[in-house]
Amino acid sequence: PTSQAPARSDGFTDIGSVADLAESGSLRYQDAKGNGILVVQQSDTPEDVQAFSSVCTHQGCNVSWKAKDKDIFCACHGSRFATDGKVTEGPAETPLQQYLTKVEDNRILIKM
Ligand code: FES
């Protein structure tokens, strides 16, 4: 889903429900400039939500969440990123950009 919700007065944007994320394991979103955002749930705790730029820092392919391995994977050249955005396997060298997230009333809020 890439529906656009306006940012709230505190700068956070509501991008979906915790239930949606729990069901699919990850969500994709686009900010107002069209930048891809990958939202993942890294543990069974519903509030344990992280959001990253979905643009691989190697050459810009779209990264994906691997729920089984709990890491973020780029299919283009095999880079992997941990759930803090850090590179765990190259060729990428730069961490994924991470967005500030919080959960309120079962809604996922991201600051973009
Ligand atoms: Fe992601 Fe090369 S673009 S590993």
Side-chain angles (χ1 to χ4, degrees):
T2 55
S3 55
Q4 296 292 338
R8 312 188 319 170
S9 57
D10 62 1
F12 282 85
T13 300
D14 181 331
I15 64 107
S17 73
V18 170
D20 289 344
L21 178 59
E23 195 178 300
S24 58
S26 66
L27 294 174
R28 289 189 182 275
Y29 192 81
Q30 277 190 337
D31 71 11
K33 294 185 195 125
N35 301 311
I37 298 175
L38 179 68
V39 185
V40 305
Q41 186 184 0
Q42 62 173 347
S43 77
D44 290 338
T45 307
E47 291 78 22
D48 199 1
V49 173
Q50 309 283 338
F52 300 93
S53 164
S54 65
V55 179
C56 181
T57 58
H58 179 229
Q59 287 179 4
C61 287
N62 228 346
V63 296
S64 304
W65 174 239
K66 289 267 181 260
K68 185 168 66 74
D69 303 326
K70 297 260 185 275
D71 74 357
I72 298 166
F73 177 69
C74 180
C76 282
H77 313 100
S79 289
R80 287 178 175 272
F81 304 86
T83 49
D84 59 1
K86 290 207 183 84
V87 177
T88 53
E89 202 170 309
E93 295 180 347
T94 311
L96 287 176
Q97 181 194 340
Q98 189 167 8
Y99 294 85
L100 198 58
T101 61
K102 62 180 178 179
V103 174
E104 273 179 20
D105 298 331
N106 292 314
R107 303 297 300 180
I108 300 165
L109 304 170
I110 299 183
K111 194 159 201 169
M112 308 178 186

